[in-house]
C-alpha cells in the first residue's frame, strides 16, 4: 500500500510538472471565467451577489442575507454527493432552477437548459475541481411516512443539540458559528413544488449533510429507513405550506446585516463591490479631481461641460437636458448645501447631486448647475468610461481615451445614489432602498436591469415618478361600483404591473387613490368620498420614524373599498376614481418647515423656488368615472 507521504510527494511533483508545462507553453491554461460563453449571463444575473471573482463580494452582498456563497471554495451546500466529493452539475442545476427558499438565492425561470449549463461552466471555472467525482447518494424508493419513528430517532441521535427540541434552531448545547436552520419555517434546499419534493429534500439534506456547515452527512452512518423517518419528522415540524421559492418582496433587513454594516460601514454614495475591482474605478469612491487635461485631447474633449459632449452625442445631450439628473442640484439641494451645512454632509449630498470634484468648487457654479452630467458618470482622470457596443453612427477618433465596462448596463451602476447602507434602516428598511427592492423582486432573476426601463435604448431622459407616461406604464387601475338596498359600494385597486421596485420606491413621493360619488350633474355628494395615501411615510425629530408604508411591491395590489348609505347617497350615479401623484411630497413638507424659520434672503429665495417647483409637480395620472347601476 502506498504511504501517505509518498502520495503527498506525488501530488507536489504533479503540480511542479504542470507549472513547467504551462510556462513552456506546452499546455493550454484553463479558460478564465470571464472568457467563457456563459459569462454575459453570469454578469447579468449572478455578479451582483457573487462578485466578478466569484468570491461572494459582489456589490449587492451587504443587502442580502445569508451572505452570498464564495464560489471559489468549491463548497456547495445543497449537493447530493458524499461528504468531501464534488457537487454534481445536477445539484447546481437544481439550485439555479429552483432557488433556495428562505435565502437571497432566487429561482431563474427565464433560463433554458443550455443557458443554465453555460452558467454552471462559469461557476466551475471559479474553483477548478480537485475533488473526487462521485455519484449521487442513492436513497431508494421512499417508504411509507413514519414521523413518530423519526421523532424517536431525532431524540436518540441528538438532533436537538443543534436544531433544538422543537426544531426551531435554538440549540440546547452546541456551540455553532451560526445558528442551525429553523426547520419550523421550512427547508432551504432547492426543490420543485409539492410535498413529495419537500420530503425528498429533507432526506437528501440528512444523507449528504450541508457542505461548509456543521450539518454532517449521515449516509452510511444510519440506514435509509432511518433517514426517511427523520425526514418525515422534519416534514411534520415544518410549515403547513411550502414557503415560496426565492426572495420575498420588500423584506426587512435582518438585524445581523444592519449590525455588520455598523461594525464595518459601507461608505455612502459609492459602489460597494471589491475595492480592487475594475468596476470600482467609476463610483468606488468620491470622484477625484480630473487634474490638468492631457495635451493629446482636443479642446472639446478637455472640457467637463455637457455642451461639449453634445458635439458628438447630441441625442443623449438633448434627452439629458430635460431629465431629473440634469436638475439634481436643485434649488432645494442648494438651499441646504450652500448655507452652513457641515463640510462632510455637504460633500455627501453633492456626491450624488453633483458628483464631480470640480462642481463642489464655488468658482464653478455653472458646472455645478449641470448636476449629474455626462462627465459625472463617464469621465475619470480625463479617461472616458462607457458601455459596450458603441453605436456605429459614432465616428471613431484616433487616440480617444475610452474604457469599456459592462457596469453601465447593470443595475449596480445605479446603486451608489439609489441605495443607502443597511445601517440607515428605519423599520428594517434603508431610507433609500430602491436597489434592494429591485434585487429582492421578480425582475432581477429575469435579467431586467434598471436601465431597461429608465434608459431604454440608452435614452438619457431617465424618466421616473415625475413623468406621467412612465407612471402609467407602471400601474393598472381596476374599479367597480354597485348599488344594493340603499347602499352604494365602490372599490378601486391599483396594481404594480410595471415597476421593478416598490411603487413609489422612495419616501419622497405620495400617490393618492381617491373615490368620490357624483350626482347626475357631476357634483360631489357631501360625505361620500375616501382618499388613501400610497407611499412610505417617514418623519425625523432627531431620529427617524416610519409612520406607515403602503407602497405596492411588484405584482402586488393596493385596494380601497367603501360603502355609503343614507343622506344623498341615493342620488349618486357615478363613482369617480382618481390617482394623483405628488412626486416631491416629502420635500414640500421640509421646504415649508424651512420657510417658517428666519433665513438669509438668498437661502429663502432658493427655498421659495424649490417649494413652488415641488407644488407644481403634482399631476393626475388617471381619472375614471364608473357608472353606478
Amino acid at each position: 500500500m502506498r504511504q501517505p507521504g509518498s502520495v503527498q510527494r506525488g501530488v507536489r511533483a504533479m503540480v511542479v510538472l504542470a507549472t513547467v508545462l504551462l510556462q513552456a507553453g506546452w499546455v493550454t491554461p484553463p479558460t478564465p471565467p470571464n472568457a467563457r460563453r456563459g459569462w454575459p449571463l453570469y454578469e447579468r444575473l449572478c455578479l451582483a451577489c457573487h462578485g466578478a471573482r466569484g468570491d461572494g463580494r459582489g456589490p449587492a452582498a451587504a443587502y442580502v442575507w445569508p451572505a452570498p456563497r464564495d464560489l471559489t471554495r468549491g463548497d456547495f451546500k445543497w449537493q447530493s454527493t458524499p461528504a468531501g466529493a464534488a457537487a454534481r452539475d445536477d445539484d447546481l442545476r437544481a439550485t439555479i432552477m429552483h432557488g433556495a427558499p428562505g435565502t437571497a438565492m432566487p429561482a431563474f425561470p427565464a433560463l433554458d437548459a443550455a443557458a443554465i449549463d453555460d452558467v454552471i461552466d462559469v461557476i466551475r471555472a471559479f474553483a477548478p475541481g480537485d475533488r473526487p467525482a462521485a455519484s449521487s447518494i442513492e436513497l431508494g424508493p421512499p417508504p411509507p411516512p413514519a414521523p413518530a419513528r423519526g421523532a424517536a430517532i431525532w431524540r436518540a441521535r441528538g438532533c436537538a443539540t443543534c436544531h433544538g427540541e422543537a426544531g426551531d434552531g435554538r440549540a440546547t448545547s452546541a456551540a455553532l458559528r451560526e445558528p442551525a436552520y429553523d426547520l419550523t419555517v421550512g427547508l432551504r434546499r432547492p426543490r420543485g413544488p409539492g410535498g413529495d419534493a419537500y420530503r425528498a429534500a429533507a432526506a437528501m439534506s440528512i444523507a449528504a449533510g450541508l457542505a461548509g456547515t456543521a450539518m454532517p452527512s449521515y449516509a452510511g452512518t444510519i440506514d435509509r429507513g432511518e433517514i426517511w423517518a427523520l425526514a418525515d419528522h422534519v416534514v411534520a415540524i415544518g410549515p403547513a405550506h411550502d414557503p415560496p421559492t426565492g426572495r420575498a418582496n420588500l423584506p426587512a433587513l435582518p438585524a445581523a446585516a444592519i449590525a455588520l454594516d455598523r461594525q464595518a460601514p459601507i461608505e455612502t454614495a459609492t459602489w460597494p463591490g471589491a475595492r480592487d475591482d475594475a468596476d470600482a474605478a467609476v463610483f468606488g469612491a468620491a470622484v477625484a479631481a480630473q487634474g490638468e487635461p492631457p495635451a493629446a485631447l482636443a479642446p472639446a474633449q478637455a472640457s467637463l461641460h455637457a455642451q461639449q459632449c453634445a458635439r458628438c452625442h447630441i441625442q443623449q445631450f438633448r434627452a439629458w437636458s430635460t431629465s431629473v439628473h440634469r436638475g439634481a442640484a436643485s434649488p432645494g439641494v442648494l438651499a441646504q448645501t450652500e448655507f452652513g451645512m457641515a463640510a462632510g454632509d455637504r460633500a455627501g449630498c453633492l456626491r450624488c447631486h453633483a458628483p464631480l470634484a470640480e462642481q463642489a468648487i464655488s468658482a464653478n457654479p455653472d458646472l455645478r448647475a449641470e448636476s449629474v452630467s455626462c462627465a459625472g458618470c463617464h469621465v475619470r482622470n480625463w479617461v472616458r468610461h462607457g458601455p459596450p457596443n458603441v453605436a456605429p453612427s459614432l465616428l471613431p477618433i484616433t487616440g480617444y481615451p475610452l474604457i469599456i465596462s459592462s457596469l453601465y448596463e447593470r443595475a449596480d451602476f445605479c446603486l451608489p445614489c439609489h441605495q443607502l447602507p443597511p445601517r440607515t434602516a428605519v423599520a428594517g428598511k434603508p431610507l433609500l432602498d430602491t436597489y434592494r427592492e429591485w434585487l429582492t423582486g421578480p425582475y432581477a432573476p429575469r435579467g431586467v436591469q434598471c436601465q431597461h426601463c429608465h434608459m431604454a435604448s440608452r435614452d438619457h431622459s431617465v424618466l421616473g415618478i415625475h413623468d406621467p407616461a412612465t407612471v402609467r406604464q407602471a400601474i393598472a387601475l381596476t374599479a367597480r361600483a354597485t348599488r344594493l338596498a340603499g347602499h352604494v359600494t365602490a372599490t378601486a385597486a391599483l396594481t404594480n404591473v410595471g415597476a421593478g421596485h416598490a411603487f413609489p420606491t422612495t419616501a419622497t413621493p405620495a400617490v393618492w387613490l381617491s373615490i368620490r360619488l357624483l350626482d347626475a350633474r357631476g357634483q360631489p355628494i357631501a360625505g361620500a368620498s375616501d382618499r388613501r395615501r400610497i407611499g412610505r411615510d417617514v418623519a425625523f425629530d432627531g431620529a427617524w420614524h416610519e409612520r406607515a408604508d403602503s407602497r405596492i411591491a411588484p405584482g402586488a395590489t393596493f385596494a380601497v373599498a367603501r360603502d355609503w348609505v343614507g343622506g344623498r347617497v341615493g342620488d349618486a350615479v357615478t363613482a369617480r376614481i382618481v390617482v394623483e401623484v405628488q412626486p416631491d411630497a416629502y420635500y414640500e413638507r421640509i421646504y415649508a418647515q424651512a420657510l417658517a424659520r428666519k433665513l438669509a434672503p438668498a437661502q429663502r429665495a432658493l427655498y421659495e423656488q424649490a417649494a413652488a417647483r415641488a407644488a407644481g409637480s403634482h399631476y393626475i395620472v388617471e381619472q375614471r368615472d364608473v357608472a353606478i347601476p
Side-chain angles (χ1 to χ4, degrees):
M1 177 180 293
R2 182 178 295 181
Q3 297 302 310
S6 65
V7 173
Q8 293 173 0
R9 287 192 295 273
V11 170
R12 286 197 295 269
M14 291 177 66
V15 171
V16 171
L17 176 61
T19 303
V20 170
L21 292 174
L22 280 170
Q23 291 174 344
W26 294 337
V27 176
T28 303
T31 304
N34 62 2
R36 296 181 181 242
R37 184 172 60 189
W39 180 256
L41 276 174
Y42 175 89
E43 194 173 41
R44 187 63 57 88
L45 301 174
C46 315
L47 183 148
C49 293
H50 295 287
R53 296 173 181 78
D55 56 6
R57 296 171 59 207
Y63 302 99
V64 296
W65 199 263
R69 180 149 294 270
D70 180 353
L71 303 175
T72 65
R73 295 170 53 188
D75 283 333
F76 300 101
K77 277 187 181 179
W78 301 292
Q79 58 189 63
S80 61
T81 52
R88 301 178 69 244
D89 282 357
D90 279 347
D91 299 328
L92 303 183
R93 191 172 290 112
T95 302
I96 295 169
M97 288 175 58
H98 301 300
T103 78
M105 178 66 190
F108 289 91
L111 296 183
D112 59 24
I116 291 176
D117 288 345
D118 286 344
V119 173
I120 290 174
D121 180 59
V122 173
I123 292 171
R124 293 289 195 192
F126 284 122
D130 58 356
R131 300 185 182 194
S135 300
S136 293
I137 296 171
E138 180 55 56
L139 293 176
R149 183 189 177 199
I153 297 170
W154 174 278
R155 292 189 293 271
R157 293 287 178 178
C159 301
T161 302
C162 294
H163 289 284
E165 293 292 343
D168 55 7
R170 297 179 181 179
T172 57
S173 61
L176 303 175
R177 287 185 303 173
E178 58 184 65
Y181 289 171
D182 180 353
L183 300 175
T184 65
V185 301
L187 295 173
R188 293 180 178 178
R189 177 174 282 271
R191 60 190 178 276
D196 291 341
Y198 193 100
R199 186 188 186 204
M204 186 54 72
S205 288
I206 296 165
L210 300 181
T213 77
M215 177 66 188
S217 167
Y218 284 91
T221 303
I222 60 178
D223 63 38
R224 295 175 182 175
E226 288 181 304
I227 288 175
W228 280 109
L230 268 175
D232 292 331
H233 178 63
V234 170
V235 171
I237 63 178
H241 301 285
D242 199 8
T245 299
R247 298 168 282 192
N249 290 320
L250 306 184
L253 273 168
I258 297 171
L260 187 63
D261 182 41
R262 286 177 178 151
Q263 294 168 11
I266 298 171
E267 189 177 4
T268 57
T270 62
W271 187 81
R275 295 298 88 198
D276 58 344
D277 196 290
D279 289 336
V282 181
F283 285 125
V287 180
Q290 307 290 328
E292 289 296 320
L297 294 182
Q301 297 168 340
S303 172
L304 296 175
H305 284 282
Q307 63 264 31
Q308 295 299 338
C309 302
R311 288 171 175 256
C312 294
H313 304 278
I314 186 62
Q315 291 180 342
Q316 289 82 359
F317 174 80
R318 287 172 177 168
W320 166 84
S321 296
T322 61
S323 71
V324 174
H325 278 181
R326 170 65 178 83
S330 64
V333 170
L334 297 178
Q336 298 172 75
T337 59
E338 302 305 303
F339 294 87
M341 179 177 280
D345 293 338
R346 180 177 185 271
C349 291
L350 293 182
R351 190 176 292 184
C352 283
H353 290 270
L356 292 171
E358 290 80 2
Q359 290 178 304
I361 301 170
S362 59
N364 284 332
D366 292 340
L367 187 62
R368 183 170 59 240
E370 293 184 9
S371 305
V372 183
S373 63
C374 313
C377 290
H378 292 281
V379 181
R380 301 293 180 267
N381 195 28
W382 292 110
V383 174
R384 272 66 178 171
H385 296 249
N389 304 316
V390 176
S393 58
L394 289 172
L395 296 175
I397 299 176
T398 304
Y400 185 79
L402 176 64
I403 293 177
I404 297 296
S405 172
S406 61
L407 172 66
Y408 286 84
E409 294 185 333
R410 301 199 313 260
D412 53 297
F413 178 83
C414 309
L415 186 161
C417 290
H418 294 271
Q419 178 68 48
L420 283 172
R423 66 181 179 278
T424 68
V426 178
K429 296 162 289 187
L431 281 170
L432 187 57
D433 208 20
T434 302
Y435 176 80
R436 195 174 70 95
E437 291 166 10
W438 166 83
L439 185 71
T440 58
Y443 281 64
R446 288 165 172 80
V448 180
Q449 311 290 308
C450 307
Q451 293 87 334
H452 282 99
C453 296
H454 295 283
M455 297 187 72
S457 301
R458 295 187 175 173
D459 178 79
H460 280 58
S461 301
V462 200
L463 299 174
I465 193 68
H466 289 82
D467 180 61
T470 300
V471 172
R472 289 189 192 100
Q473 292 169 342
I475 60 174
L477 175 67
T478 57
R480 63 189 297 267
T482 59
R483 189 193 311 271
L484 181 65
H487 291 254
V488 172
T489 301
T491 62
L494 204 61
T495 301
N496 179 351
V497 296
H501 44 68
F503 174 80
T505 174
T506 72
T508 302
V511 177
W512 293 93
L513 177 60
S514 62
I515 304 174
R516 181 180 291 275
L517 301 188
L518 307 178
D519 62 21
R521 297 177 300 162
Q523 297 301 306
I525 294 175
S529 64
D530 198 356
R531 190 169 183 251
R532 304 288 179 88
R533 187 183 191 275
I534 303 172
R536 189 180 185 191
D537 187 4
V538 298
F540 183 78
D541 59 4
W544 286 101
H545 305 279
E546 180 181 276
R547 299 187 293 203
D549 188 355
S550 54
R551 296 173 299 160
I552 312 173
T557 298
F558 179 95
V560 177
R562 278 298 309 269
D563 178 84
W564 293 276
V565 64
R568 292 189 54 233
V569 167
D571 297 335
V573 298
T574 303
R576 174 164 291 172
I577 316 298
V578 176
V579 182
E580 181 188 1
V581 178
Q582 298 175 1
D584 298 307
Y586 175 79
Y587 289 120
E588 289 186 60
R589 193 165 74 223
I590 298 301
Y591 300 153
Q593 292 170 354
L595 288 168
R597 304 193 301 266
K598 185 176 181 179
L599 302 171
Q603 187 179 25
R604 177 170 293 278
L606 285 170
Y607 270 126
E608 287 174 346
Q609 185 181 353
R613 288 176 55 173
S617 67
H618 299 189
Y619 60 88
I620 292 175
V621 68
E622 187 159 356
Q623 177 175 304
R624 186 179 304 177
D625 288 348
V626 179
I628 304 172

